[in-house]
């Protein structure tokens, strides 16, 4: 089984992933793997250079600033970049998950990446808006509350547009303990 951990910025997906790792479960972190694959996979580098921005490839490596500049404000290039990266990450994830009877994948973009089609269930982590803003500013002090709200609004479309038929909610509001919620959902997997 492959279970997705998803939710918007500041909800605590990484905290839930960390708890699962400490319980002994493997967790695939899409953001980390995408960065590694973009740095190491020559096919991604070549395709980005050919299809997105040739000036973003410098000495065989991706210049992230140049790439960001190329896709910022250009939806077609951004969509092309996402198609390239999501395809390679999806292939990497499918190979990785084959090694485990039960594994988790942490992703903020479950639906737009198409990963919802390859998971058996979704654990959506949620938190109140004020808690999310506080968490994000706590780790990124250069951001304002307005900056965080804009990111939250942009991501909200991702989760509002679709919902996997086997979705469970984890409330990470700094009031309800996470561990009992996670243990309950793990127990459901074995029923």
């Amino acid at each position: 089984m492959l279970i997705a951990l998803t939710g918007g910025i500041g909800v605590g997906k990484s905290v839930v992933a960390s708890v699962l790792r400490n319980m002994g479960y493997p967790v695939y972190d899409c953001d980390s793997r995408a960065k590694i694959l973009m740095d190491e996979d020559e096919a991604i580098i070549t395709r980005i250079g050919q299809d997105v921005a040739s000036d973003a490839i410098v000495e065989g490596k991706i210049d992230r600033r140049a790439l960001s500049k190329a896709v910022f404000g250009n939806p077609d290039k951004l969509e092309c970049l996402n198609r390239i990266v999501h395809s390679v990450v999806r292939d990497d994830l499918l190979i990785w998950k084959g090694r485990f009877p039960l594994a988790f994948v942490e992703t903020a973009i479950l639906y737009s990446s198409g990963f919802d089609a390859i998971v058996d269930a979704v654990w959506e982590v949620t938190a109140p808006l004020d808690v999310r803003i506080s968490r994000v500013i706590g780790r990124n002090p250069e951001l304002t509350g307005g900056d965080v709200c804009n990111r939250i609004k942009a991501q909200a479309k991702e989760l509002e547009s679709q919902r996997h038929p086997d979705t469970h909610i984890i409330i990470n509001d700094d009031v309800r303990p996470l561990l009992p919620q996670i243990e309950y959902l793990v127990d459901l997997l074995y029923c």
Side-chain angles (χ1 to χ4, degrees):
M1 284 189 87
L2 182 63
I3 310 299
L5 303 175
T6 196
I9 188 171
V11 296
K13 292 180 301 297
S14 296
V15 173
V16 173
S18 179
V19 170
L20 287 163
R21 282 187 190 97
N22 286 327
M23 293 172 73
Y25 295 102
V27 180
Y28 184 100
D29 180 342
C30 282
D31 288 345
S32 297
R33 282 301 293 163
K35 288 176 185 168
I36 290 168
L37 291 167
M38 287 177 71
D39 288 339
E40 297 176 356
D41 190 303
E42 291 184 28
I44 288 180
I45 295 168
T46 300
R47 287 188 60 204
I48 287 172
Q50 291 173 343
D51 301 339
V52 181
S54 59
D55 62 332
I57 309 303
V58 178
E59 297 179 12
K61 300 286 182 194
I62 296 173
D63 178 335
R64 294 196 191 281
R65 283 187 190 208
L67 182 59
S68 293
K69 187 177 176 182
V71 300
F72 182 74
N74 188 326
D76 293 335
K77 285 190 176 192
L78 179 59
E79 183 180 335
C80 183
L81 174 64
N82 285 339
R83 266 196 322 272
I84 292 167
V85 175
H86 294 166
S87 172
V88 174
V89 171
R90 185 174 27 259
D91 292 346
D92 186 64
L93 172 61
L94 289 170
I95 292 166
W96 175 87
K97 86 167 187 125
R99 302 183 347 226
F100 309 102
L102 172 61
F104 295 85
V105 56
E106 178 184 353
T107 178
I109 53 171
L110 175 68
Y111 298 101
S112 62
S113 66
F115 292 177
D116 61 306
I118 63 172
V119 299
D120 299 292
V122 173
W123 292 4
E124 183 180 326
V125 185
T126 65
L129 181 62
D130 61 325
V131 172
R132 294 173 69 183
I133 292 170
S134 175
R135 287 176 183 162
V136 175
I137 291 175
R139 66 180 185 235
N140 300 293
E142 71 281 358
L143 296 177
T144 67
D147 294 333
V148 178
C149 283
N150 287 338
R151 292 180 185 193
I152 289 171
K153 286 178 188 172
Q155 289 181 337
K157 294 174 188 167
E158 165 81 12
L159 294 172
E160 289 173 3
S161 63
Q162 303 172 28
R163 185 141 281 149
H164 191 279
D166 191 4
T167 298
H168 304 273
I169 304 297
I170 296 174
I171 301 170
N172 186 12
D173 59 3
D174 294 339
V175 175
R176 295 165 227 218
L178 276 177
L179 188 56
Q181 295 179 73
I182 294 168
E183 288 174 330
Y184 172 77
L185 291 175
V186 167
D187 287 346
L188 281 180
L189 296 173
Y190 292 105
C191 287

